[in-house]
Amino acid sequence: MDKAVFKALNGGASYNPSGRNSGLISLASVLLAAWALMWAFPALAANIGAGPEYREFPLIGSRVAVWVAAEVHLMFAAFVLGVPMFAVIVELVAMLTGEKKYDALAREFSKLVTLSTSITAIWGGILLFLLVTLYPKFWNYLSGIFAPTMWIYPVLFLLELVFVYLYYYSWDRMTEGRSKWVHFGLGIMVNVVGTILLFLANTWATFMMTPGGINPDTGELVSLFEAIYNFAWMPINIHRLIANVTFGGAVAAGYAAFKFMYSKTPEDKAHYDWMGYVGMMIAMWSFLVLPFAGYYLMREIYAYDQTMGITMMGGFLSWVWIIQALVISVLFLGLNYYMWCGLERIEGGERYQPYIKYLLTVLVLGVMVWATPHSLIATPEEVSAMGGAHHEVFGSLGVMSAKMTAVNLMILASAIGFMFYRRANKIATHPSAKMLNLVQGGIFGGAALIILYLGIDGYFVSPIVRVEKYSIWQVLLVLFAILSTTGLDVILFRNCRTTGGINWGRMAPRSQYALLLVAVAFTWLMGLMGYVRSISRQHWHVNKVLEDTSVDAFSPALGYVSTVVTACTIIFLGLVMLIFWINSLTEKKKAA
Amino acid sequence: MQFLKNALVQTVIVLLLGFVVLELVQPPIPLSLLMFYMSAIAVGMAVYSTSTTERMESFWAPIRTLLVSPSLKLLRIAVLTAIPAGAAVLTAFALIPSNSAPATLRVIHPAPPGSITFEGKPINLREAVNPFRELKGTDQQAFAGKVELGREVYFKNCFQCHGDHLDGEGPFAKAFNPRPANFQDVGTIAQLQESYLFWRIAKGGPGLPAESTPGRSAMPRWEGILNTDQIWAVILFLYEKTGHPPRTWE
């Protein structure tokens, strides 16, 4: 195995004369990662015997050590699994259209992945070592259940590394005809192996939440298949798969923003402006489906165990969702702001600027409703002035119905903003343009009104109707409105007149800060959601099967949580910056 | 009226207007919420003021003029003193000691335990269902009997706090903080599974976890006063009377 990697990488490094620097570093890190993985698994899964149940990590304690290692590992994993998904799609677009600029973009995306995959492996190693040394009891149990999957895992990881490096380093060699298709096949393999890896790792994490396939009293394994295919497995697989794309898009857009601001030449500026735009689009569209997946996951968890469901949604974690609402609001505002700023680089875009204020009003009102807590923080005087902890007017905004409505209207407003962006330099010449425009307006307006109506009526119907019918209708309405108006746009703007081109690169720097903000906010959000998923088990390593009897078994307070999540975000983004910097070393050589 | 077109002026006007409207709301909203709403409006205005280059310039223009124009020296000094002075005054007010209790956050619906022991017998809340619920489909008359039993239990034990109309407006209600739950409201029992209610009624306020301030809840613990059947019956009554179906996941 090592030999294969070595050969592949060695070859890779010499294929690309300008890539020597990063090639060497990559090689070193791959070997290190391989070493970590090879060592850790067989040696430590066995023979733990009668040692201590827990060990203490200095200074920060065992829990925080494992927490940070797991979260940073996960962030990297999400990034390196997400980016290849759209890299191959962009490559395919390039192959089908013959547009060189798409090919260059796909190549750049895949370049971000190489070193990051090695670093993912290293963090996986760190996590593993920490688990084994700090939580021997837990590790002993988990590895007892999942041993076979843990043997396959490192092998697959090496395979993934090989494909990732081959994919990038063979890019300039396999450019024509059939070899290009082979190259595309490599990209597909990166994704296939990556997805299997993700699903495997998810079995362990979801087993801890919703264990299956074991004897509930003794905890002994009855069926490995059911342990793997436990309750939360598929929902988490789907949720993470989508979130990875969004995350990859957001971080890639952040990378582009960073490069944009450093670019000296108009060509570079244009390239990175465009790359940022593509990354942002990927993040935005995949982000739209994420609530579905999240909803499915929550529903499954609720059905599995109301204690866990309420712990996550209504209990002491309910404030996490207020924080989540705030962070997602930042994402919404950031993405829309970026789009509005983008109107300036399009000739004709100024025609749509006056509408910004209306869209913004919807967004801000939406944020206000969405982040209104169910239980308010109030002093005793305020409580008696309100006549209870519930406020007559604003208290009713704290429930599902209001929040769902707010979010859907925010999505609708963003979709309208995007429609304006698309039309910014177009003038329809279709004979019944006026009519079609009216129809589109009617669809948006009608959808908004029905969503609002369902939201209000949602207060008066049973929860099952509200959750299973209304909230789904609302989302379907939003999707219908988006898809139908986009379809009409295609008809409307066939053979249209244009008011001018898109001046890529002529973008205000403040818009790029918005992209950076989105990347940071998204990373932070991932960290927060990771905490929620983990803490839903409360004082259990494996829910209701293996109890956490360590000193860290308590649930930490939110202020503390946000500090740790911030630390993870800083570590991740710091390392990402390092990777970007290392990558840029080869470029400088090219320029010289 | 030309100055109304200026982005900075508009920002100030919107913020003031927002503040006045929120202050006028009755009953008054807690400071925590007011601060949050005002921040949302402020962020919105910041986004708006920089959404186009033209607007951003219009926003900065008065500030720039104030900072550089030689003729505005007096005003400049006044503003630059007023800002730290204002901060100092606010700080001073914040430091005045007060005898009011700090703001608290109480979780209204905490997570229930996985299982409880009721009169010595373990009850698994994850699987527990109301034994009378199925009568609704099979034996209407028996079902009505159980609802009737629940009504009796309610009007002997609960209405003093939770009210004749189950709206939390019983004669004692105003004396308690937190107030007795309003079962008509969609935010209470309509959101909960029946086993959750069983836990709340059996264990009362004292059975709440720490984040729900068990010491403050006036909800009595009914274990030892009501038996299992009576509790399931009163739960049936609560849902029948309010017309809310209990939460289920099937």
Side-chain angles (χ1 to χ4, degrees):
Chain A
M1 190 56 61
D2 269 11
K3 228 170 156 185
V5 182
F6 190 84
K7 224 168 107 190
L9 292 169
N10 225 10
S14 57
Y15 292 156
N16 186 345
S18 63
R20 221 161 97 219
N21 222 331
S22 66
L24 275 179
I25 295 167
S26 333
L27 176 64
S29 53
V30 170
L31 287 180
L32 200 66
W35 172 79
L37 284 167
M38 285 308 205
W39 258 101
F41 276 94
L44 292 163
N47 290 337
I48 283 168
E53 297 193 337
Y54 299 101
R55 285 195 194 84
E56 191 54 20
F57 193 81
L59 286 172
I60 53 174
S62 301
R63 188 218 326 242
V64 174
V66 167
W67 181 353
V68 171
E71 190 53 59
V72 175
H73 172 60
L74 192 115
M75 285 168 175
F76 268 106
F79 180 63
V80 301
L81 292 176
V83 174
M85 283 198 236
F86 50 81
V88 283
I89 296 177
V90 174
E91 187 183 12
L92 185 67
V93 171
M95 286 156 70
L96 297 180
T97 62
E99 287 246 21
K100 277 276 165 284
K101 80 175 188 180
Y102 282 105
D103 199 62
L105 182 68
R107 186 178 183 280
E108 189 147 15
F109 279 145
S110 76
K111 178 175 168 185
L112 301 180
V113 177
T114 48
L115 201 47
S116 313
T117 311
S118 312
I119 293 194
T120 311
I122 292 173
W123 278 91
I126 297 175
L127 171 62
L128 178 66
F129 284 136
L130 289 178
L131 277 177
V132 169
T133 53
L134 302 176
Y135 290 89
K137 174 180 81 168
F138 161 72
W139 184 254
N140 198 17
Y141 178 66
L142 197 72
S143 57
I145 302 273
F146 284 109
T149 62
M150 290 177 174
W151 300 323
I152 305 171
Y153 192 77
V155 178
L156 282 174
F157 215 115
L158 280 182
L159 208 61
E160 173 76 354
L161 277 166
V162 174
F163 280 127
V164 161
Y165 278 86
L166 269 181
Y167 184 53
Y168 172 64
Y169 283 102
S170 65
W171 204 288
D172 297 335
R173 281 211 135 200
M174 307 167 88
T175 48
E176 298 305 328
R178 189 178 300 158
S179 79
K180 183 67 181 165
W181 281 101
V182 173
H183 184 261
F184 175 71
L186 284 176
I188 295 285
M189 283 317 288
V190 171
N191 282 294
V192 170
V193 179
T195 307
I196 300 175
L197 276 172
L198 172 75
F199 282 21
L200 264 186
N202 284 350
T203 59
W204 312 325
T206 52
F207 176 82
M208 290 166 68
M209 292 170 78
T210 59
I214 50 168
N215 177 332
D217 299 321
T218 62
E220 273 164 37
L221 182 65
V222 181
S223 147
L224 180 62
F225 176 76
E226 273 171 37
I228 292 175
Y229 204 137
N230 63 65
F231 231 80
W233 187 49
M234 260 309 147
I236 290 256
N237 284 344
I238 294 171
H239 195 284
R240 280 193 170 163
L241 218 52
I242 302 172
N244 289 351
V245 178
T246 316
F247 184 63
V251 175
Y255 163 80
F258 190 76
K259 296 289 265 187
F260 176 88
M261 290 192 277
Y262 264 89
S263 297
K264 302 263 167 358
T265 63
E267 296 82 53
D268 277 0
K269 270 200 178 326
H271 172 72
Y272 286 113
D273 184 10
W274 180 65
M275 182 177 181
Y277 172 76
V278 175
M280 194 274 297
M281 278 290 137
I282 292 165
M284 193 172 86
W285 287 109
S286 53
F287 188 51
L288 279 186
V289 238
L290 210 49
F292 284 110
Y295 171 71
Y296 170 46
L297 173 62
M298 274 320 300
R299 200 198 124 80
E300 290 296 289
I301 288 175
Y302 243 116
Y304 176 78
D305 180 356
Q306 76 166 349
T307 304
M308 191 178 256
I310 297 186
T311 300
M312 287 177 90
M313 298 306 292
F316 77 97
L317 284 180
S318 55
W319 270 77
V320 170
W321 304 106
I322 300 294
I323 301 178
Q324 186 216 30
L326 285 178
V327 180
I328 297 186
S329 302
V330 169
L331 291 176
F332 262 111
L333 282 175
L335 290 173
N336 277 288
Y337 183 69
Y338 176 79
M339 224 146 51
W340 298 334
C341 288
L343 287 175
E344 283 190 352
R345 70 176 160 217
I346 304 177
E347 285 157 31
E350 63 287 346
R351 291 174 301 156
Y352 290 99
Q353 284 174 345
Y355 298 104
I356 292 175
K357 51 181 168 294
Y358 305 114
L359 300 177
L360 181 67
T361 308
V362 175
L363 289 179
V364 171
L365 288 178
V367 171
M368 286 165 72
V369 171
W370 195 11
T372 298
H374 186 45
S375 345
L376 300 175
I377 301 182
T379 63
E381 287 84 11
E382 287 170 337
V383 171
S384 55
M386 282 190 294
H390 227 65
H391 193 277
E392 267 170 41
V393 185
F394 291 98
S396 48
L397 297 181
V399 298
M400 261 287 274
S401 211
K403 291 173 195 279
M404 286 294 289
T405 308
V407 175
N408 282 308
L409 291 179
M410 284 166 80
I411 297 179
L412 217 52
S414 311
I416 296 175
F418 181 55
M419 186 164 96
F420 290 159
Y421 181 86
R422 274 193 324 245
R423 323 181 144 190
N425 60 350
K426 298 193 179 93
I427 294 174
T429 49
H430 195 279
S432 40
K434 226 187 180 123
M435 245 277 291
L436 285 173
N437 267 321
L438 275 177
V439 171
Q440 285 177 318
I443 291 176
F444 275 126
L449 280 180
I450 302 176
I451 287 170
L452 208 57
Y453 168 77
L454 288 175
I456 294 169
D457 198 47
Y459 281 89
F460 306 104
V461 298
S462 74
I464 197 94
V465 175
R466 184 169 63 241
V467 173
E468 307 267 270
K469 296 220 174 78
Y470 282 17
S471 60
I472 294 179
W473 291 347
Q474 285 183 328
V475 178
L476 288 180
L477 267 168
V478 170
L479 287 185
F480 167 74
I482 294 178
L483 292 180
S484 60
T485 51
T486 310
L488 286 177
D489 260 11
V490 174
I491 304 175
L492 194 54
F493 291 105
R494 201 181 289 148
N495 313 322
C496 65
R497 263 188 319 124
T498 82
T499 48
I502 302 181
N503 301 305
W504 291 110
R506 209 176 74 187
M507 189 70 169
R510 58 179 188 280
S511 65
Q512 304 297 307
Y513 286 107
L515 283 187
L516 286 176
L517 179 74
V518 166
V520 175
F522 215 99
T523 311
W524 202 87
L525 184 65
M526 288 254 295
L528 186 72
M529 292 299 101
Y531 158 77
V532 173
R533 195 190 60 70
S534 246
I535 208 68
S536 62
R537 303 190 308 270
Q538 296 187 289
H539 52 100
W540 297 92
H541 290 312
V542 176
N543 195 29
K544 309 269 155 72
V545 176
L546 187 68
E547 190 158 11
D548 184 350
T549 52
S550 70
V551 288
D552 291 323
F554 65 96
S555 309
L558 279 182
Y560 183 80
V561 170
S562 51
T563 312
V564 179
V565 171
T566 307
C568 294
T569 309
I570 291 174
I571 296 174
F572 170 72
L573 290 176
L575 285 172
V576 165
M577 296 277 272
L578 183 74
I579 295 173
F580 291 173
W581 176 71
I582 291 174
N583 276 344
S584 74
L585 292 179
T586 63
E587 279 161 29
K588 276 192 196 123
K589 244 201 288 175
K590 209 178 338 185
Chain B
M1 291 325 246
Q2 192 56 34
F3 75 99
L4 280 180
K5 288 220 166 73
N6 180 278
L8 181 63
V9 175
Q10 288 180 350
T11 304
V12 174
I13 291 177
V14 170
L15 282 174
L16 281 178
L17 243 127
F19 183 73
V20 169
V21 169
L22 288 172
E23 276 291 292
L24 284 180
V25 170
Q26 279 305 326
I29 59 175
L31 188 66
S32 62
L33 198 60
L34 179 74
M35 293 297 274
F36 164 64
Y37 285 160
M38 286 309 295
S39 328
I41 299 177
V43 169
M45 286 316 289
V47 165
Y48 183 44
S49 307
T50 57
S51 59
T52 68
T53 305
E54 199 186 332
R55 211 156 232 293
M56 194 169 77
E57 253 136 43
S58 134
F59 183 86
W60 288 118
I63 299 176
R64 193 175 297 121
T65 317
L66 177 72
L67 287 180
V68 299
S69 160
S71 62
L72 290 177
K73 189 166 176 191
L74 275 183
L75 187 61
R76 176 158 61 241
I77 294 174
V79 170
L80 290 184
T81 343
I83 293 172
V89 170
L90 287 181
T91 313
F93 273 114
L95 286 177
I96 294 175
S98 117
N99 55 3
S100 65
T104 50
L105 171 64
R106 181 175 181 273
V107 175
I108 299 176
H109 293 126
S115 63
I116 55 172
T117 41
F118 184 74
E119 294 177 339
K121 275 193 304 235
I123 295 185
N124 184 341
L125 290 181
R126 227 163 100 182
E127 280 147 20
V129 288
N130 194 336
F132 305 141
R133 174 76 43 200
E134 59 178 17
L135 292 177
K136 192 166 194 174
T138 54
D139 187 345
Q140 285 289 344
Q141 209 154 16
F143 184 76
K146 294 300 174 192
V147 175
E148 193 46 43
L149 171 64
R151 181 194 310 279
E152 252 170 55
V153 173
Y154 186 84
F155 283 101
K156 277 183 185 152
N157 303 292
C158 319
F159 86 98
Q160 305 91 322
C161 295
H162 290 288
D164 286 342
H165 303 293
L166 284 66
D167 54 1
E169 297 287 352
F172 296 172
K174 291 216 164 39
F176 298 126
N177 173 22
R179 295 274 285 269
N182 168 0
F183 301 131
Q184 301 285 1
D185 190 283
V186 286
T188 65
I189 60 171
Q191 285 193 30
L192 304 168
Q193 279 167 260
E194 285 182 292
S195 60
Y196 189 98
L197 263 70
F198 189 93
W199 166 61
R200 285 307 324 272
I201 297 167
K203 300 293 177 183
L208 288 168
E211 70 264 23
S212 299
T213 58
R216 278 176 43 200
S217 166
M219 171 70 183
R221 176 191 189 113
W222 295 97
E223 183 176 9
I225 303 170
L226 300 177
N227 62 28
T228 322
D229 280 2
Q230 285 171 315
I231 294 183
W232 285 125
V234 75
I235 293 173
L236 217 53
F237 170 70
L238 294 184
Y239 283 112
E240 284 304 304
K241 175 83 181 175
T242 54
H244 299 305
R247 183 164 223 166
T248 54
W249 289 98
E250 262 68 62

